[in-house]
Amino acid sequence: MSQSDLFSWNMERDPALRSTIVSVLILDTDPDWDRLVETIDRGTRIVPRLRHRLVTVPFGLAPPRWVLDSDFDLSWHLRRSALPAPADLSAVLEFARTEAMTAFDPARPLWRSTLLSGLNGAGCALVMTVHHSLTDGIGGIQIATALLDFDRAGTDRGHPPEPPQDRDGAFRDIVAWNWSVGSDLLRGGVRVTPRTAWRAVTHPARAARDGAALATSLVRLAQPVTATLSPVMTERSLRRRLAVLDAPVEQLRCAARGVGCTMNDAFLTALVIGLRMYHDRHGARVDQLRVTMPISLRTADDPLGGNRITLARFALPADIPDTANLMRAVDAAVAGWRREPAIPLSGAVAAAFNRLPAGLLTEMLKHIDFLASNVPGSPVPLYIAGARIDRMYAFGPTIGTAVNVTLTSHAGTCYVAINADTAAIPDIAILTDCLAAGFATVLRLGAEGASEGGADLPAEAPRSTPV
């Protein structure tokens, strides 16, 4: 396991930090079951971890190791069931809510999928549940891209190779893990030391400033957070409620371009406005809210699956009434964190977190107000086993926050998944209405910008479904 994967796994020591991702695909028709089985089977061969289970290493001398499950049974992981009446989206989200709160069987690979048939309108839903140690959001999209089709007929991709057999024993794994950690540190030292020494000789003042900046950045990345900024969303529990919003991609992108920002900035701004409205509904004023935001470190050479992210925790302004100015302030906060000198060292920070007692790690994460993640998906329609994917929602884990809001763009629409801790947010319908209003506020910027440019882009209101 990488340090980031291990960090996701170690959070399981506190059930409130359970790192389960639940993706809901709304399909226009029932997929061909045999083709679906073949597709998922192919996925378990392309991504071998889907056939591996975790086994602990003696005395904790190395992280748990991925071992091929000799009893792997695809029929246990891939299931099908009929939706109870009324078979609507709310029924699908209720099933997904239960999945999000259900722990994995540690004796098996850490995933399961369920096809729910009988959805009103002749559709169905595919609910896919994975542990975060298997993949991050972008990694999940990459896996999906390798498996999904661009038309109903599909593409014959051939038969993938059998998963490789385990050849290393636990002792060899311990040696390999500690050797790799030491080698990485040594290689990093060999690369950095001459450059640092030369800079110290030629530009001593600059070297001192750079060293101080890096140390300060590391403190910012790793420092504990001991209190929420929200005066309302303060309690934490194991209970969850789910809700969804839909919004047009192009209009959100247009709103961002109009003020010189990114679509991610527009997304975060909509969340901040919505959460500010939620606090107003509860008679509370909020000047700032602290967010956990995954920053992708994935490169083109990284394999499918696994975690290639770092979690940045920082405050966003919430007291700027003008939407455009608020988005610029959000952009400045996000850009500052993306440039943090400590971001490339996030593996070392994760390694330090992995050695903390569970209680201390819990207290560090339970005082963040919300988690926001933006996952770019496919701009064109996708199909699985002959069924078209009409909607795609990814409910990320709260990881100690009050609510996780994940946006997945797919075929021209932003599908926004809301996973709320009901101790912090007992009224998810009100929160969903407020977030919808936040998106509507930002989308108006896009409509106004398009109107000034001569385009005809209506201010489409976001659609919401709470459960």
Side-chain angles (χ1 to χ4, degrees):
M1 302 184 78
S2 71
Q3 293 290 355
S4 295
D5 298 342
L6 181 59
F7 181 68
S8 295
W9 178 249
N10 280 343
M11 284 192 288
E12 291 288 316
R13 293 178 293 182
D14 184 336
L17 305 183
R18 186 167 289 152
S19 299
T20 302
I21 303 172
V22 181
S23 296
V24 175
L25 308 183
I26 304 299
L27 311 179
D28 71 331
T29 188
D30 285 356
D32 180 278
W33 178 253
D34 290 338
R35 284 178 61 186
L36 180 62
V37 171
E38 182 180 347
T39 298
I40 301 300
D41 178 71
R42 177 182 175 83
T44 66
R45 300 172 189 275
I46 293 176
V47 186
R49 281 192 186 179
L50 297 178
R51 284 179 174 252
H52 285 67
R53 63 188 182 91
L54 280 175
V55 176
T56 57
V57 173
F59 309 111
L61 297 176
R65 55 197 304 263
W66 297 106
V67 175
L68 187 65
D69 182 10
S70 59
D71 296 321
F72 179 76
D73 182 355
L74 183 61
S75 66
W76 189 91
H77 293 272
L78 178 58
R79 313 158 184 185
R80 54 180 167 177
S81 180
L83 282 167
D88 54 12
L89 181 56
S90 294
V92 175
L93 295 184
E94 177 61 26
F95 179 88
R97 181 182 81 88
T98 303
E99 285 288 278
M101 296 189 296
T102 302
F104 288 96
D105 181 353
R108 300 178 184 271
L110 306 176
W111 69 277
R112 53 185 177 264
S113 292
T114 306
L115 181 67
L116 300 174
S117 60
L119 185 62
N120 291 347
C124 68
L126 182 61
V127 180
M128 308 171 70
T129 309
V130 301
H131 193 276
H132 213 317
S133 61
L134 288 176
T135 188
D136 53 36
I138 293 179
I141 291 294
Q142 290 178 343
I143 294 172
T145 302
L147 295 176
L148 302 179
D149 301 311
F150 295 103
D151 54 40
R152 291 193 192 275
T155 303
D156 184 3
R157 296 184 173 92
H159 191 71
E162 290 293 324
Q165 296 293 320
D166 298 307
R167 300 185 182 278
D168 295 341
F171 177 74
R172 185 176 296 182
D173 195 64
I174 292 169
V175 173
W177 165 260
N178 288 281
W179 173 260
S180 67
V181 172
S183 297
D184 289 344
L185 292 173
L186 180 61
R187 284 195 297 269
V190 169
R191 283 196 305 268
V192 172
T193 301
R195 184 171 65 249
T196 304
W198 177 252
R199 184 177 297 172
V201 171
T202 57
H203 302 284
R206 179 182 173 186
R209 286 196 303 270
D210 289 349
L214 177 59
T216 303
S217 180
L218 282 168
V219 170
R220 281 196 293 266
L221 187 64
Q223 67 182 350
V225 176
T226 58
T228 60
L229 293 176
S230 166
V232 173
M233 306 183 304
T234 57
E235 300 299 318
R236 300 293 184 263
S237 72
L238 301 181
R239 302 183 303 275
R240 301 290 181 266
R241 287 287 185 275
L242 307 183
V244 297
L245 293 171
D246 300 348
V249 167
E250 185 52 39
Q251 198 166 310
L252 193 64
R253 186 177 289 124
C254 186
R257 282 197 303 258
V259 293
C261 296
T262 68
M263 195 173 86
N264 187 62
D265 298 325
F267 164 54
L268 289 173
T269 301
L271 297 187
V272 169
I273 293 173
L275 288 169
R276 184 175 67 198
M277 292 179 176
Y278 181 76
H279 282 76
D280 288 343
R281 293 279 290 270
H282 288 79
R285 174 185 172 85
V286 61
D287 296 326
Q288 288 183 313
L289 289 168
R290 188 174 286 108
V291 63
T292 292
M293 190 183 78
I295 296 178
S296 178
L297 305 176
R298 190 172 292 274
T299 68
D301 298 328
D302 288 327
L304 291 176
N307 282 270
R308 302 292 187 274
I309 59 172
T310 187
L311 299 178
R313 302 163 297 147
F314 55 96
L316 291 174
D319 58 347
I320 301 175
D322 181 79
T323 305
N325 288 337
L326 176 60
M327 194 184 302
R328 293 187 186 99
V330 167
D331 173 73
V334 173
W337 266 94
R338 291 190 186 278
R339 292 193 299 266
E340 280 286 342
I343 292 297
L345 300 177
S346 57
V349 175
F353 283 168
N354 287 334
R355 288 160 175 78
L356 292 177
L360 183 56
L361 181 64
T362 295
E363 289 305 310
M364 289 181 63
L365 296 174
K366 284 186 176 179
H367 296 106
I368 310 299
D369 299 306
F370 71 105
L371 192 154
S373 183
N374 177 13
V375 182
S378 172
V380 299
L382 295 173
Y383 297 79
I384 182 167
R388 187 183 65 234
I389 300 173
D390 285 343
R391 302 188 193 180
M392 181 181 293
Y393 301 104
F395 297 93
T398 60
I399 316 180
T401 67
V403 60
N404 179 317
V405 185
T406 298
L407 181 153
T408 304
S409 56
H410 173 71
T413 299
C414 297
Y415 294 104
V416 182
I418 305 164
N419 182 5
D421 184 328
T422 60
I425 301 171
D427 44 5
I428 192 170
I430 293 177
L431 174 71
T432 305
D433 288 344
C434 291
L435 292 179
F439 272 92
T441 301
V442 171
L443 292 175
R444 280 195 292 272
L445 279 182
E448 293 165 1
S451 177
E452 291 173 1
D456 183 14
L457 188 62
E460 181 179 338
R463 302 185 300 273
S464 63
T465 304
V467 153

